[in-house]
Amino acid sequence: MTDIAALLGAEAESLLTHTCKTIPKEQLHLPGPDFVDRVVALSDRPTPVLRSLQQLFNQGRLAGTGYLSILPVDQGIEHSGGASFAKNPAYFDPENIVRLALEGGCNAVASTLGALGSVARRYAHRIPFLLKFNHNEFLTYPNKYDQIVFASIRQAREMGAVAVGATIYFGSAESGRQIVEVSKAFEIAHEMGLATVLWCYLRNPAFKRDVDYHVSADLTGQANHIGVTIEADIIKQKLPENNGGYNALGSGYGKTSKLVYDKLTTDHPIDLARWQVANCYMGRIGLINSGGESKGAGDLAAAVKTAVVNKRAGGQGLISGRKAFQRPMAEGVELLNAIQDVYLDPSVTIA
């Protein structure tokens, strides 16, 4: 097992012993082996969706825990093939993406229509496929940021996927259209028995000021709250790094409450992530945080820290891509396993 405290270093005591005094854990619907029976089965999700979610929870090293470790590799479209795979060109071949997810003990592999479709008959029955059906097309000049539909829900079902995923750029000029598109697609996915995962990302140049409020707890929390409203079954969100985005943008923007900052959050990273969980219907919809970009030697420690914060906040797991696939496969497997060790370690408790 991974030495979690050693990797956390000087932050170990703060992260591993913190008690959340903002929103108590007793108010949360926490992950567990019976999560689908205890929480999801009470919802309006069709029975085949419950089966699909249970397939996700029953795969890999975290099978039977109620936690998720997902490998997402859609960055070849979201960024570019060169930016994503130059460090390790082997991952231009989608089979290596799926192999990494399998050997890394993941619950699912998330990728594009083309990537998953190219190896579906060999692997769709061996590991749950999560088809990402919209992307940011990043080749137009000048560059623009807009999630557009690349694939249909029918294509996801026919290739054997058990879930579909989409991104909405909340706060962008295009977000209204994206909300409508994704909501309709999620409705179809549920009718077809597929689970739904929503990347709830913020995107607006105005959010980047003295600090980057794209990762502000209050704004990302509201993005989550909109995401669960259109019946995403799992929310993917970046780990919060600051707070007060509403206040920084001024009185003419949105609405918030002083209680959010005075009582319901603190500066502690677990309390900030707890606010994200609270906005996911107090955990009725699972929150998985993003592993973030690869920065080299410190990736292992950073991934473990993110997992600790997510788990102790009441989240449901981690979705980590670049830190895993932008290095040799054996090292990627080690990193994925270290993330999973956090969720397997009973000493890492809910704060």
Side-chain angles (χ1 to χ4, degrees):
M1 292 287 286
T2 302
D3 190 339
I4 296 169
L7 284 171
L8 295 177
E11 296 181 281
E13 182 176 358
S14 173
L15 292 174
L16 294 174
T17 65
H18 176 73
T19 299
C20 187
K21 297 179 180 178
T22 53
I23 296 172
K25 63 184 179 182
E26 290 78 13
Q27 293 185 9
L28 302 179
H29 302 273
L30 295 170
D34 62 343
F35 186 79
V36 173
D37 291 335
R38 172 169 45 89
V39 179
V40 188
L42 303 179
S43 73
D44 63 354
R45 305 306 195 264
T47 302
V49 175
L50 305 184
R51 181 182 60 207
S52 293
L53 281 168
Q54 196 65 58
Q55 280 184 261
L56 290 174
F57 287 120
N58 284 349
Q59 177 78 23
R61 293 184 72 228
L62 297 183
T65 65
Y67 289 105
L68 297 169
S69 168
I70 298 174
L71 176 71
V73 188
D74 61 343
Q75 293 88 347
I77 303 302
E78 293 286 339
H79 305 151
S80 77
S84 301
F85 304 130
K87 292 181 180 179
N88 198 345
Y91 287 103
F92 272 112
D93 184 343
E95 184 166 12
N96 288 323
I97 294 170
V98 181
R99 282 184 54 223
L100 175 60
L102 274 167
E103 295 182 24
C106 293
N107 298 76
V109 57
S111 196
T112 66
L113 172 67
L116 295 179
S118 69
V119 294
R121 284 191 174 87
R122 175 170 288 186
Y123 290 105
H125 59 290
R126 296 174 59 187
I127 183 170
F129 277 12
L130 195 173
L131 173 63
K132 182 79 164 22
F133 65 78
N134 73 355
H135 305 284
N136 178 44
E137 183 274 300
F138 209 38
L139 191 59
T140 301
Y141 184 86
N143 284 156
K144 61 180 181 179
Y145 295 91
D146 185 13
Q147 291 287 323
I148 58 176
V149 174
F150 273 58
S152 72
I153 308 304
R154 177 184 56 81
Q155 288 172 304
R157 184 184 65 176
E158 289 182 352
M159 75 161 58
V162 304
V164 295
T167 297
I168 293 175
Y169 283 151
F170 291 102
S172 72
E174 298 79 18
S175 63
R177 190 205 79 242
Q178 293 168 14
I179 290 169
V180 172
E181 287 177 350
V182 173
S183 179
K184 289 180 178 178
F186 280 5
E187 179 185 12
I188 295 170
H190 282 158
E191 289 174 354
M192 292 187 177
L194 304 179
T196 58
V197 183
L198 185 61
W199 278 240
C200 288
Y201 285 174
L202 300 176
R203 178 72 70 179
N204 193 307
F207 294 167
K208 200 161 189 176
R209 304 206 167 194
D210 53 329
V211 298
D212 188 358
Y213 291 110
H214 287 95
V215 285
S216 176
D218 55 352
L219 296 182
T220 56
Q222 181 59 23
N224 292 356
H225 200 59
I226 299 174
V228 297
T229 296
I230 61 172
E231 293 208 331
D233 298 314
I234 299 167
I235 295 292
K236 178 193 176 188
Q237 184 57 269
K238 296 180 180 180
L239 200 69
E241 298 177 12
N242 54 65
N243 206 1
Y246 275 113
N247 299 326
L249 289 164
S251 58
Y253 174 74
K255 290 183 180 294
T256 188
S257 167
K258 279 177 56 60
L259 292 173
V260 174
Y261 315 100
D262 296 345
K263 181 179 180 181
L264 299 175
T265 62
T266 72
D267 291 334
H268 196 285
I270 293 173
D271 292 344
L272 295 178
R274 176 67 55 90
W275 182 248
Q276 289 185 340
V277 173
N279 275 275
C280 294
Y281 296 152
M282 286 293 191
R284 286 184 184 272
I285 305 299
L287 170 70
I288 56 176
N289 285 120
S290 170
E293 65 180 307
S294 175
K295 296 184 178 180
D299 282 353
L300 182 62
V304 167
K305 176 181 176 180
T306 303
V308 168
V309 171
N310 171 271
K311 182 181 182 182
R312 301 209 69 223
Q316 202 166 65
L318 223 59
I319 182 163
S320 186
R322 283 171 287 175
K323 282 183 170 64
F325 71 76
Q326 289 185 340
R327 52 186 10 97
M329 186 171 291
E331 294 180 18
V333 168
E334 179 187 9
L335 185 139
L336 291 169
N337 288 170
I339 289 169
Q340 295 152 10
D341 285 347
V342 172
Y343 296 97
L344 292 170
D345 190 336
S347 70
V348 181
T349 57
I350 309 300

